[in-house]
């Protein structure tokens, strides 16, 4: 993306490929979104297959079945072991996967013997959609309104994803054409009956989240949690960008308070652009090009301190901070035709892959698994090892409920970024440079295709963690190590992950009780902030406390030895949960859509 001399990014200063107004410039089509040394991988045919592997589709169906049959309670309309925000993410995974099933069933060849008849296909789709409708009522929408702004924004993305499923399924199976008659009469898909309810919740929660945008501190950006000292973190701002541009693209209007206003409300596009402008100028990325977690304002708790700058960075790196922005970048491209959004997205993806220890140019991990068969962990590269994505809590089995959700979020948004794109429809009033668009599409498709080998490698690792019930574990790398491992499984002190004093893992081990994160005890609420009252997402029974995996480390030596030498490392800590299952499902879906889907 072009930069001015003052370092600020020029959004929309480039010549867009399509525009709603006359263009007075020639857009430059990209030669490739890939580094030169990686382009050869594409020519080898890495990634997407001309003949999809139906076993991957079966694995996706199995993962979804286990998630819903083992963890979802239809009579409650939710996943009882989830908490509010992780349940919102699980709903997003199910909505996305149901949309992928709808698309996949349309193209699968009945000769394969996988699909019995149209009734069976419809039953599969309607089964999962009915559970999403149940979740609409099972979601504790009133509680989430009083939680942190990121919790609120997960709700927006979730219901917009469900609306996308309804629209896609209706178009594929119920839209009348001469070539494709409707399934029955002229009745649209019944899921459209629920779109106003889904839309209303998305709109209400976006409006609630907007209160988190703050211009008085750090020159803009979203505050994470109004009940703590100001913290402007990557995830809340990425969610605001992704939710805003998704509202611009997919929100059909809200007739709960007024007639449908129609789509493409410019205020959502404006919010997404402003959010991204702030984020990329906030110095939030580290030397590997990965997003760190966020910023505090030094000395804020001191009533005599007038500092308003984000100058105290928490260098903690989480996988989900690299993912949510991808939906925002893809949406901004779709809305504007500005190539820099695609370029930024592909660069971030490639930085992530490199940080797992995987060489895209050679299409293989940096390290050879055969070199690590005596109990020695492969080296850590920033977001994993041996080419497999990890969060820093994975190897030690100490991930919280938050941490167990993160990797699935990344892969959901990777799939969203790499979806095929199409020219704006004729009659839309958008002027298109067809030559530049075709070149951009080719480059985008080739870049996404090149990620297929890495995705397949992660799928192989994750599938190696399945237990006898078909449940995914949290630490996917163990799926490659278990057959050769001879030593005790690593603890936090011996997991090979470097840690420094500028990295606070508050998501897995709790928000510190100090003057950086919380106002000192007895504070009278200096600077007009709310009193420190813990929201539901930070209450003692929530995921934010140190969890069972950490507590087990203080057990008597005999029991502790049994814990770290357990033959299945994914039984440690919280074990296999709905969140780990959601992660496996999101990974399989990304692999299917990017590297296997017709």
């Amino acid at each position: 993306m072009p930069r001015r001399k003052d370092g600020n990014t020029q959004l929309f200063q480039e010549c867009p490929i399509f525009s709603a107004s006359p263009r007075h410039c020639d857009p430059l089509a990209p030669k490739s979104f890939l580094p030169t040394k990686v382009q050869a991988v594409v020519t080898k045919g890495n990634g997407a297959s001309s003949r999809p592997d139906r076993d991957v589709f079966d694995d996706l169906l199995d993962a979804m079945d286990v998630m819903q049959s083992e963890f979802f309670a239809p009579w409650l309309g939710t996943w009882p072991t989830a908490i509010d925000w992780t349940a919102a993410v699980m709903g997003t995974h199910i909505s996305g996967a149901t949309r992928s099933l709808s698309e996949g069933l349309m193209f699968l060849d009945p000769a394969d013997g996988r699909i019995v008849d149209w009734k069976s296909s419809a039953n599969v789709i309607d089964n999962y959609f009915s559970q999403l409708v149940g979740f609409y009522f099972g979601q504790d929408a009133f509680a989430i309104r009083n939680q942190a702004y990121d919790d609120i924004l997960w709700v927006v993305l979730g219901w917009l994803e469900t609306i996308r499923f309804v629209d896609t399924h209706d178009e594929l199976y119920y839209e009348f054409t001469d070539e494709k008659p409707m399934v029955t009469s002229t009745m649209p898909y019944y899921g459209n009956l629920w779109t106003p309810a889904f839309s209303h919740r998305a709109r209400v929660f976006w409006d609630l989240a907007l209160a988190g945008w703050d211009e008085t501190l750090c020159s803009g950006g979203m505050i994470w949690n109004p009940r703590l000292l100001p913290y402007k973190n990557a995830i809340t701002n990425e969610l605001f960008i992704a939710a805003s541009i998704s509202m611009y693209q997919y929100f059909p209007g809200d007739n709960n308070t007024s007639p449908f206003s129609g789509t493409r409300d410019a205020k959502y596009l404006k919010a997404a652009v402003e959010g991204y402008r702030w984020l990329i100028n906030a110095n939030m990325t580290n030397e590997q090009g990965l997003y760190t977690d966020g910023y505090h304002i030094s000395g804020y708790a001191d009533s005599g301190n007038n500092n308003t700058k984000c100058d105290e960075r928490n260098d903690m790196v989480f996988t989900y901070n690299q993912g949510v922005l991808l939906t925002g970048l893809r949406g901004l491209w779709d809305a504007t035709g500005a190539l820099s959004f695609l370029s930024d997205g592909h660069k971030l993806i490639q930085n992530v892959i490199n940080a797992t220890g995987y060489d895209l140019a050679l299409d293989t991990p940096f390290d050879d698994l055969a070199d690590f068969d005596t109990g020695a962990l492969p080296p850590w590269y920033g977001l994993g090892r041996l080419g497999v994505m990890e969060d820093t809590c994975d190897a030690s089995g100490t991930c919280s409920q938050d941490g167990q959700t993160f990797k699935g979020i990344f892969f959901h948004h990777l799939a969203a970024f790499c979806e095929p794109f199409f020219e704006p429809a004729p009659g839309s009033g958008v002027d298109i440079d067809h030559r530049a668009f075709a070149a951009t599409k080719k480059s985008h498709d080739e870049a996404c295709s090149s990620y297929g080998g890495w995705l397949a490698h992660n799928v192989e690792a994750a599938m190696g963690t399945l237990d006898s019930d078909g449940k995914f574990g949290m630490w996917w790398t163990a799926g490659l190590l278990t057959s050769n491992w001879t030593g005790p499984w690593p603890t936090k002190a011996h997991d090979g992950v470097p840690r420094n004093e500028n990295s606070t893992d508050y998501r897995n081990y709790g928000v510190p009780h100090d003057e950086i994160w919380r106002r000192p005890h007895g504070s009278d609420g200096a600077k007009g902030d709310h009193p420190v009252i813990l929201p539901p997402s930070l209450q003692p029974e929530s995921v934010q406390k140190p969890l069972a995996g950490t507590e087990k480390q203080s057990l008597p030596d005999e029991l502790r030895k049994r814990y770290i030498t357990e033959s299945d490392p994914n039984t440690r800590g919280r074990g296999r949960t709905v969140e780990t299952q959601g992660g496996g499902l999101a990974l399989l879906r990304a692999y299917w859509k990017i590297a296997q889907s017709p």
Side-chain angles (χ1 to χ4, degrees):
M1 185 175 286
R3 304 259 175 190
R4 292 200 301 262
K5 289 183 180 179
D6 61 4
N8 292 325
T9 300
Q10 301 181 58
L11 296 176
F12 304 136
Q13 294 307 304
E14 61 189 281
C15 188
I17 286 177
F18 45 87
S19 173
S21 56
R23 256 194 319 265
H24 303 286
C25 57
D26 256 343
L28 295 175
K31 292 182 178 178
S32 178
F33 290 120
L34 293 168
T36 302
K37 66 177 183 178
V38 181
Q39 292 178 35
V41 176
V42 177
T43 62
K44 289 191 305 181
N46 173 57
S49 170
S50 59
R51 184 173 178 80
D53 184 349
R54 305 307 192 199
D55 288 340
V56 177
F57 192 76
D58 288 350
D59 290 338
L60 177 63
L61 277 167
D62 288 344
M64 203 169 177
D65 175 65
V66 171
M67 181 166 168
Q68 295 305 92
S69 63
E70 294 287 332
F71 296 105
F72 189 78
W75 57 93
L76 298 175
T78 191
W79 301 264
T81 56
I83 57 170
D84 291 333
W85 89 266
T86 68
V89 173
M90 296 308 108
T92 307
H93 289 330
I94 293 299
S95 295
T98 304
R99 179 160 60 93
S100 293
L101 294 184
S102 175
E103 294 165 338
L105 290 170
M106 169 64 71
F107 296 106
L108 286 178
D109 185 356
D112 285 347
R114 309 294 175 94
I115 306 302
V116 178
D117 53 32
W118 70 265
K119 289 187 293 184
S120 299
S121 300
N123 193 45
V124 170
I125 299 297
D126 291 345
N127 172 48
Y128 293 123
F129 178 66
S130 68
Q131 293 177 22
L132 288 165
V133 172
F135 177 52
Y136 177 82
F137 295 100
Q139 186 173 60
D140 194 345
F142 290 102
I144 303 174
R145 291 179 186 215
N146 297 310
Q147 295 176 20
Y149 292 118
D150 59 340
D151 299 328
I152 290 170
L153 287 164
W154 294 117
V155 175
V156 179
L157 286 181
W159 294 113
L160 291 176
E161 185 65 53
T162 310
I163 290 169
R164 290 196 69 192
F165 156 72
V166 172
D167 291 346
T168 299
H169 193 62
D170 184 70
E171 181 180 355
L172 286 176
Y173 295 93
Y174 294 86
E175 183 177 288
F176 179 79
T177 67
D178 291 337
E179 295 80 19
K180 186 182 65 180
M182 283 187 171
V183 174
T184 55
S185 68
T186 59
M187 181 179 177
Y189 180 53
Y190 81 93
N192 286 283
L193 295 172
W194 294 100
T195 294
F198 302 154
S199 302
H200 180 64
R201 184 162 294 176
R203 196 269 301 168
V204 166
F205 275 72
W206 188 88
D207 288 348
L208 289 168
L210 186 60
W213 183 264
D214 163 66
E215 298 281 354
T216 62
L217 303 173
C218 313
S219 302
M222 290 284 292
I223 289 176
W224 170 45
N225 191 323
R227 295 162 183 81
L228 300 173
L229 290 179
Y231 185 55
K232 297 200 172 182
N233 60 355
I235 195 59
T236 309
N237 284 279
E238 291 181 12
L239 280 164
F240 184 64
I241 296 164
S244 296
I245 197 62
S246 295
M247 287 289 287
Y248 178 72
Q249 292 177 284
Y250 307 120
F251 178 61
D254 183 355
N255 67 351
N256 283 24
T257 57
S258 63
F260 273 79
S261 58
T263 58
R264 303 281 174 168
D265 189 327
K267 73 178 182 182
Y268 298 123
L269 176 59
K270 181 175 183 289
V273 170
E274 290 180 352
Y276 189 55
R277 179 181 288 117
W278 181 86
L279 182 67
I280 58 177
N281 285 312
N283 189 31
M284 199 77 80
T285 53
N286 64 14
E287 64 279 0
Q288 291 182 277
L290 303 175
Y291 278 90
T292 57
D293 192 71
Y295 274 100
H296 281 105
I297 300 163
S298 64
Y300 187 86
D302 180 358
S303 59
N305 189 311
N306 295 320
N307 181 35
T308 61
K309 294 182 179 179
C310 280
D311 58 358
E312 201 164 56
R313 194 172 81 177
N314 177 12
D315 287 335
M316 192 68 207
V317 175
F318 298 111
T319 55
Y320 76 155
N321 281 337
Q322 323 311 317
V324 173
L325 184 60
L326 296 175
T327 285
L329 290 170
R330 173 56 195 271
L332 285 166
W333 148 258
D334 287 335
T336 68
L339 280 172
S340 53
F341 296 121
L342 288 180
S343 179
D344 287 358
H346 282 293
K347 181 63 176 175
L348 178 56
I349 294 166
Q350 290 156 30
N351 290 341
V352 167
I353 292 173
N354 185 72
T356 66
Y358 195 89
D359 189 331
L360 266 183
L362 299 176
D363 198 22
T364 188
F366 295 153
D367 303 302
D368 190 338
L369 176 61
D371 296 336
F372 304 95
D373 58 358
T374 60
L377 280 176
W380 177 260
Y381 287 97
L383 272 180
R385 65 190 101 218
L386 210 61
V388 180
M389 177 174 277
E390 290 186 24
D391 275 291
T392 57
C393 56
D394 283 10
S396 60
T398 59
C399 294
S400 70
Q401 200 159 4
D402 282 7
Q404 286 195 325
T405 315
F406 290 169
K407 293 200 296 290
I409 291 169
F410 173 84
F411 285 103
H412 172 83
H413 293 278
L414 173 63
F417 182 81
C418 279
E419 285 187 2
F421 53 77
F422 305 94
E423 290 189 359
S428 63
V430 176
D431 181 31
I432 307 164
D433 186 302
H434 297 283
R435 175 195 58 81
F437 186 93
T440 303
K441 183 180 187 306
K442 179 176 183 292
S443 180
H444 175 74
D445 291 347
E446 287 179 346
C448 287
S449 175
S450 76
Y451 310 144
W454 177 71
L455 284 166
H457 181 68
N458 276 262
V459 166
E460 178 188 358
M463 294 290 284
T465 71
L466 291 176
D467 67 6
S468 59
D469 295 322
K471 297 176 182 176
F472 283 93
M474 177 67 197
W475 185 28
W476 296 343
T477 311
L480 301 179
L481 296 174
T482 46
S483 60
N484 298 323
W485 195 261
T486 60
W489 294 110
T491 61
K492 184 181 175 185
H494 301 94
D495 59 7
V497 178
R499 294 174 173 87
N500 62 66
E501 61 182 11
N502 295 325
S503 299
T504 301
D505 189 353
Y506 65 103
R507 285 299 197 181
N508 288 299
Y509 308 116
V511 175
H513 288 270
D514 60 26
E515 63 182 14
I516 296 175
W517 292 87
R518 307 181 194 271
R519 196 170 295 105
H521 181 68
S523 169
D524 59 358
K527 303 190 179 182
D529 281 335
H530 301 284
V532 178
I533 302 173
L534 294 183
S537 60
L538 297 179
Q539 291 295 337
E541 294 305 314
S542 82
V543 296
Q544 300 291 347
K545 69 173 186 175
L547 35 135
T550 312
E551 293 163 359
K552 285 182 178 180
Q553 310 251 350
S554 61
L555 291 172
D557 288 345
E558 183 181 349
L559 292 178
R560 185 173 180 276
K561 183 178 180 183
R562 245 173 29 208
Y563 163 62
I564 64 174
T565 58
E566 180 74 41
S567 61
D568 180 357
N570 279 297
T571 60
R572 300 173 302 160
R574 301 191 75 247
R576 290 172 171 82
T577 65
V578 64
E579 288 84 12
T580 64
Q581 191 67 21
L585 173 63
L587 171 61
L588 281 169
R589 177 174 177 256
Y591 181 47
W592 168 256
K593 285 187 67 66
I594 294 172
Q596 295 296 330
S597 182

